[in-house]
Amino acid sequence: MSNQLTTHDIDEALIAAGLRRTPQRIAVLDYLLRHPDHATAEELWPALNKRHAKASRATVYNTLHSLVEAGLVREFKLDGNASRYDAFLHPHHHFVCDICGVVEDLEWFEVPALAQLKTSRSRAGSRRIRSYEVVVRGECVKCR
Ligand SMILES: [Zn+2]
Ligand SMILES: [Zn+2]
């Protein structure tokens, strides 16, 4: 799903989030959208460097940070490992493999009980719920 997004979508997302459209932000979002395997910053950096010879490691971290703050990228910290990053322009769920740790996207579907949290206060208390996502765990195709 995510790799159908275009440069136009990336521009729109940055504008909507109130972020300046820097080449680094565009490159990071573009990379994450084209590689929905939830890369770590260490995996992302050499890949970006191949295409945009200017990005330093610090730049990649700073860029990721600004995108996470703006809600355009999700940061996962699973089982104490390095953070993984995911362009989150469209809602989706996640599958995590218990054996190899791979994080895969699952197509979006509503979970009525969770969707209710957005309108009902009974379980969310005084919190305001904006969105939800589900993480399911098991064994991936390769590990089964
Ligand atoms: Zn696996
Ligand atoms: Zn994802």
Side-chain angles (χ1 to χ4, degrees):
M1 78 193 133
S2 20
N3 36 19
Q4 288 158 15
L5 285 162
T6 62
T7 315
H8 177 72
D9 294 317
I10 291 174
D11 277 353
E12 298 262 284
L14 287 169
I15 293 167
L19 287 180
R20 270 196 309 128
R21 284 168 292 156
T22 66
Q24 291 84 5
R25 285 176 184 154
I26 292 167
V28 167
L29 269 182
D30 185 67
Y31 179 87
L32 290 174
L33 289 167
R34 281 178 213 286
H35 302 83
D37 52 358
H38 309 88
T40 64
E42 291 300 305
E43 289 164 358
L44 227 153
W45 177 58
L48 281 181
N49 253 345
K50 247 178 256 168
R51 292 167 53 197
H52 309 270
K54 285 162 232 153
S56 71
R57 188 174 300 212
T59 304
V60 171
Y61 277 100
N62 291 339
T63 304
L64 281 168
H65 184 71
S66 68
L67 292 170
V68 169
E69 292 260 286
L72 296 177
V73 167
R74 289 285 167 95
E75 182 176 2
F76 290 89
K77 266 200 184 112
L78 293 166
D79 312 324
N81 292 318
S83 290
R84 296 181 162 277
Y85 296 92
D86 182 12
F88 211 85
L89 304 192
H90 292 309
H92 56 270
H93 301 299
H94 287 104
F95 167 85
V96 179
C97 176
D98 287 333
I99 296 170
C100 70
V102 71
V103 181
E104 293 170 343
D105 287 343
L106 295 179
E107 204 175 304
W108 177 255
F109 52 88
E110 288 280 359
V111 181
L114 291 175
Q116 268 176 23
L117 289 177
K118 289 194 260 182
T119 51
S120 140
R121 287 182 146 221
S122 52
R123 288 199 179 147
S126 304
R127 299 173 187 87
R128 182 189 297 153
I129 305 301
R130 184 172 10 92
S131 63
Y132 67 89
E133 71 193 75
V134 173
V135 177
V136 294
R137 291 171 181 273
E139 291 158 28
C140 75
V141 174
K142 278 187 206 150
C143 295
R144 278 196 66 192

mmCIF file with all atom_site columns, all heavy atoms in Angstrom, residues 47-59:
data_model
loop_
_atom_site.group_PDB
_atom_site.id
_atom_site.type_symbol
_atom_site.label_atom_id
_atom_site.label_alt_id
_atom_site.label_comp_id
_atom_site.label_asym_id
_atom_site.label_entity_id
_atom_site.label_seq_id
_atom_site.pdbx_PDB_ins_code
_atom_site.Cartn_x
_atom_site.Cartn_y
_atom_site.Cartn_z
_atom_site.occupancy
_atom_site.B_iso_or_equiv
_atom_site.pdbx_formal_charge
_atom_site.auth_seq_id
_atom_site.auth_comp_id
_atom_site.auth_asym_id
_atom_site.auth_atom_id
_atom_site.pdbx_PDB_model_num
ATOM 1  N N   . ALA A 1 47 ? 21.937 3.683  3.223  1.00 0.00 ? 47 ALA A N   1
ATOM 2  C CA  . ALA A 1 47 ? 21.057 3.659  2.053  1.00 0.00 ? 47 ALA A CA  1
ATOM 3  C C   . ALA A 1 47 ? 20.817 5.070  1.536  1.00 0.00 ? 47 ALA A C   1
ATOM 4  O O   . ALA A 1 47 ? 20.791 5.316  0.332  1.00 0.00 ? 47 ALA A O   1
ATOM 5  C CB  . ALA A 1 47 ? 19.742 2.984  2.401  1.00 0.00 ? 47 ALA A CB  1
ATOM 6  N N   . LEU A 1 48 ? 20.633 5.999  2.448  1.00 0.00 ? 48 LEU A N   1
ATOM 7  C CA  . LEU A 1 48 ? 20.408 7.389  2.044  1.00 0.00 ? 48 LEU A CA  1
ATOM 8  C C   . LEU A 1 48 ? 21.676 7.987  1.473  1.00 0.00 ? 48 LEU A C   1
ATOM 9  O O   . LEU A 1 48 ? 21.648 8.771  0.531  1.00 0.00 ? 48 LEU A O   1
ATOM 10 C CB  . LEU A 1 48 ? 19.968 8.225  3.241  1.00 0.00 ? 48 LEU A CB  1
ATOM 11 C CG  . LEU A 1 48 ? 18.522 8.093  3.658  1.00 0.00 ? 48 LEU A CG  1
ATOM 12 C CD1 . LEU A 1 48 ? 18.273 9.001  4.839  1.00 0.00 ? 48 LEU A CD1 1
ATOM 13 C CD2 . LEU A 1 48 ? 17.595 8.425  2.524  1.00 0.00 ? 48 LEU A CD2 1
ATOM 14 N N   . ASN A 1 49 ? 22.790 7.612  2.060  1.00 0.00 ? 49 ASN A N   1
ATOM 15 C CA  . ASN A 1 49 ? 24.055 8.163  1.621  1.00 0.00 ? 49 ASN A CA  1
ATOM 16 C C   . ASN A 1 49 ? 24.388 7.779  0.199  1.00 0.00 ? 49 ASN A C   1
ATOM 17 O O   . ASN A 1 49 ? 25.037 8.516  -0.524 1.00 0.00 ? 49 ASN A O   1
ATOM 18 C CB  . ASN A 1 49 ? 25.168 7.692  2.549  1.00 0.00 ? 49 ASN A CB  1
ATOM 19 C CG  . ASN A 1 49 ? 25.635 8.826  3.424  1.00 0.00 ? 49 ASN A CG  1
ATOM 20 O OD1 . ASN A 1 49 ? 25.329 9.974  3.145  1.00 0.00 ? 49 ASN A OD1 1
ATOM 21 N ND2 . ASN A 1 49 ? 26.345 8.511  4.466  1.00 0.00 ? 49 ASN A ND2 1
ATOM 22 N N   . LYS A 1 50 ? 23.949 6.592  -0.187 1.00 0.00 ? 50 LYS A N   1
ATOM 23 C CA  . LYS A 1 50 ? 24.185 6.151  -1.548 1.00 0.00 ? 50 LYS A CA  1
ATOM 24 C C   . LYS A 1 50 ? 23.492 7.082  -2.529 1.00 0.00 ? 50 LYS A C   1
ATOM 25 O O   . LYS A 1 50 ? 24.000 7.392  -3.587 1.00 0.00 ? 50 LYS A O   1
ATOM 26 C CB  . LYS A 1 50 ? 23.648 4.728  -1.726 1.00 0.00 ? 50 LYS A CB  1
ATOM 27 C CG  . LYS A 1 50 ? 24.745 3.707  -1.975 1.00 0.00 ? 50 LYS A CG  1
ATOM 28 C CD  . LYS A 1 50 ? 24.157 2.306  -2.096 1.00 0.00 ? 50 LYS A CD  1
ATOM 29 C CE  . LYS A 1 50 ? 24.394 1.508  -0.842 1.00 0.00 ? 50 LYS A CE  1
ATOM 30 N NZ  . LYS A 1 50 ? 23.619 0.274  -0.790 1.00 0.00 ? 50 LYS A NZ  1
ATOM 31 N N   . ARG A 1 51 ? 22.309 7.521  -2.155 1.00 0.00 ? 51 ARG A N   1
ATOM 32 C CA  . ARG A 1 51 ? 21.515 8.344  -3.075 1.00 0.00 ? 51 ARG A CA  1
ATOM 33 C C   . ARG A 1 51 ? 21.766 9.832  -2.892 1.00 0.00 ? 51 ARG A C   1
ATOM 34 O O   . ARG A 1 51 ? 21.672 10.610 -3.820 1.00 0.00 ? 51 ARG A O   1
ATOM 35 C CB  . ARG A 1 51 ? 20.040 8.027  -2.898 1.00 0.00 ? 51 ARG A CB  1
ATOM 36 C CG  . ARG A 1 51 ? 19.707 6.625  -3.372 1.00 0.00 ? 51 ARG A CG  1
ATOM 37 C CD  . ARG A 1 51 ? 18.326 6.212  -2.912 1.00 0.00 ? 51 ARG A CD  1
ATOM 38 N NE  . ARG A 1 51 ? 17.323 7.195  -3.291 1.00 0.00 ? 51 ARG A NE  1
ATOM 39 C CZ  . ARG A 1 51 ? 16.117 7.239  -2.734 1.00 0.00 ? 51 ARG A CZ  1
ATOM 40 N NH1 . ARG A 1 51 ? 15.792 6.413  -1.786 1.00 0.00 ? 51 ARG A NH1 1
ATOM 41 N NH2 . ARG A 1 51 ? 15.246 8.132  -3.137 1.00 0.00 ? 51 ARG A NH2 1
ATOM 42 N N   . HIS A 1 52 ? 21.983 10.233 -1.651 1.00 0.00 ? 52 HIS A N   1
ATOM 43 C CA  . HIS A 1 52 ? 22.142 11.662 -1.369 1.00 0.00 ? 52 HIS A CA  1
ATOM 44 C C   . HIS A 1 52 ? 23.433 11.803 -0.574 1.00 0.00 ? 52 HIS A C   1
ATOM 45 O O   . HIS A 1 52 ? 23.404 11.795 0.638  1.00 0.00 ? 52 HIS A O   1
ATOM 46 C CB  . HIS A 1 52 ? 20.974 12.197 -0.550 1.00 0.00 ? 52 HIS A CB  1
ATOM 47 C CG  . HIS A 1 52 ? 19.657 11.851 -1.141 1.00 0.00 ? 52 HIS A CG  1
ATOM 48 N ND1 . HIS A 1 52 ? 19.013 12.660 -2.042 1.00 0.00 ? 52 HIS A ND1 1
ATOM 49 C CD2 . HIS A 1 52 ? 18.880 10.765 -0.976 1.00 0.00 ? 52 HIS A CD2 1
ATOM 50 C CE1 . HIS A 1 52 ? 17.881 12.084 -2.401 1.00 0.00 ? 52 HIS A CE1 1
ATOM 51 N NE2 . HIS A 1 52 ? 17.774 10.938 -1.778 1.00 0.00 ? 52 HIS A NE2 1
ATOM 52 N N   . ALA A 1 53 ? 24.514 11.930 -1.250 1.00 0.00 ? 53 ALA A N   1
ATOM 53 C CA  . ALA A 1 53 ? 25.834 11.803 -0.633 1.00 0.00 ? 53 ALA A CA  1
ATOM 54 C C   . ALA A 1 53 ? 26.099 12.753 0.525  1.00 0.00 ? 53 ALA A C   1
ATOM 55 O O   . ALA A 1 53 ? 27.173 12.722 1.102  1.00 0.00 ? 53 ALA A O   1
ATOM 56 C CB  . ALA A 1 53 ? 26.908 11.964 -1.696 1.00 0.00 ? 53 ALA A CB  1
ATOM 57 N N   . LYS A 1 54 ? 25.127 13.589 0.875  1.00 0.00 ? 54 LYS A N   1
ATOM 58 C CA  . LYS A 1 54 ? 25.439 14.625 1.868  1.00 0.00 ? 54 LYS A CA  1
ATOM 59 C C   . LYS A 1 54 ? 24.972 14.305 3.289  1.00 0.00 ? 54 LYS A C   1
ATOM 60 O O   . LYS A 1 54 ? 25.442 14.929 4.231  1.00 0.00 ? 54 LYS A O   1
ATOM 61 C CB  . LYS A 1 54 ? 24.826 15.959 1.445  1.00 0.00 ? 54 LYS A CB  1
ATOM 62 C CG  . LYS A 1 54 ? 25.589 16.607 0.316  1.00 0.00 ? 54 LYS A CG  1
ATOM 63 C CD  . LYS A 1 54 ? 24.730 17.670 -0.362 1.00 0.00 ? 54 LYS A CD  1
ATOM 64 C CE  . LYS A 1 54 ? 24.701 17.448 -1.856 1.00 0.00 ? 54 LYS A CE  1
ATOM 65 N NZ  . LYS A 1 54 ? 23.515 17.938 -2.506 1.00 0.00 ? 54 LYS A NZ  1
ATOM 66 N N   . ALA A 1 55 ? 24.040 13.373 3.439  1.00 0.00 ? 55 ALA A N   1
ATOM 67 C CA  . ALA A 1 55 ? 23.449 13.178 4.761  1.00 0.00 ? 55 ALA A CA  1
ATOM 68 C C   . ALA A 1 55 ? 24.438 12.557 5.742  1.00 0.00 ? 55 ALA A C   1
ATOM 69 O O   . ALA A 1 55 ? 24.905 11.447 5.542  1.00 0.00 ? 55 ALA A O   1
ATOM 70 C CB  . ALA A 1 55 ? 22.204 12.306 4.650  1.00 0.00 ? 55 ALA A CB  1
ATOM 71 N N   . SER A 1 56 ? 24.770 13.275 6.794  1.00 0.00 ? 56 SER A N   1
ATOM 72 C CA  . SER A 1 56 ? 25.599 12.706 7.855  1.00 0.00 ? 56 SER A CA  1
ATOM 73 C C   . SER A 1 56 ? 24.708 11.858 8.748  1.00 0.00 ? 56 SER A C   1
ATOM 74 O O   . SER A 1 56 ? 23.481 11.947 8.694  1.00 0.00 ? 56 SER A O   1
ATOM 75 C CB  . SER A 1 56 ? 26.247 13.810 8.685  1.00 0.00 ? 56 SER A CB  1
ATOM 76 O OG  . SER A 1 56 ? 25.266 14.438 9.473  1.00 0.00 ? 56 SER A OG  1
ATOM 77 N N   . ARG A 1 57 ? 25.344 11.061 9.598  1.00 0.00 ? 57 ARG A N   1
ATOM 78 C CA  . ARG A 1 57 ? 24.579 10.231 10.515 1.00 0.00 ? 57 ARG A CA  1
ATOM 79 C C   . ARG A 1 57 ? 23.709 11.103 11.440 1.00 0.00 ? 57 ARG A C   1
ATOM 80 O O   . ARG A 1 57 ? 22.546 10.809 11.675 1.00 0.00 ? 57 ARG A O   1
ATOM 81 C CB  . ARG A 1 57 ? 25.533 9.376  11.327 1.00 0.00 ? 57 ARG A CB  1
ATOM 82 C CG  . ARG A 1 57 ? 24.857 8.346  12.180 1.00 0.00 ? 57 ARG A CG  1
ATOM 83 C CD  . ARG A 1 57 ? 25.878 7.462  12.838 1.00 0.00 ? 57 ARG A CD  1
ATOM 84 N NE  . ARG A 1 57 ? 26.687 6.767  11.848 1.00 0.00 ? 57 ARG A NE  1
ATOM 85 C CZ  . ARG A 1 57 ? 27.190 5.554  12.029 1.00 0.00 ? 57 ARG A CZ  1
ATOM 86 N NH1 . ARG A 1 57 ? 26.960 4.907  13.149 1.00 0.00 ? 57 ARG A NH1 1
ATOM 87 N NH2 . ARG A 1 57 ? 27.914 4.985  11.098 1.00 0.00 ? 57 ARG A NH2 1
ATOM 88 N N   . ALA A 1 58 ? 24.296 12.200 11.911 1.00 0.00 ? 58 ALA A N   1
ATOM 89 C CA  . ALA A 1 58 ? 23.546 13.092 12.804 1.00 0.00 ? 58 ALA A CA  1
ATOM 90 C C   . ALA A 1 58 ? 22.338 13.689 12.084 1.00 0.00 ? 58 ALA A C   1
ATOM 91 O O   . ALA A 1 58 ? 21.265 13.846 12.670 1.00 0.00 ? 58 ALA A O   1
ATOM 92 C CB  . ALA A 1 58 ? 24.452 14.200 13.324 1.00 0.00 ? 58 ALA A CB  1
ATOM 93 N N   . THR A 1 59 ? 22.532 13.997 10.806 1.00 0.00 ? 59 THR A N   1
ATOM 94 C CA  . THR A 1 59 ? 21.422 14.552 10.038 1.00 0.00 ? 59 THR A CA  1
ATOM 95 C C   . THR A 1 59 ? 20.278 13.551 9.948  1.00 0.00 ? 59 THR A C   1
ATOM 96 O O   . THR A 1 59 ? 19.106 13.911 10.073 1.00 0.00 ? 59 THR A O   1
ATOM 97 C CB  . THR A 1 59 ? 21.887 14.917 8.606  1.00 0.00 ? 59 THR A CB  1
ATOM 98 O OG1 . THR A 1 59 ? 22.982 15.804 8.710  1.00 0.00 ? 59 THR A OG1 1
ATOM 99 C CG2 . THR A 1 59 ? 20.765 15.545 7.802  1.00 0.00 ? 59 THR A CG2 1
#
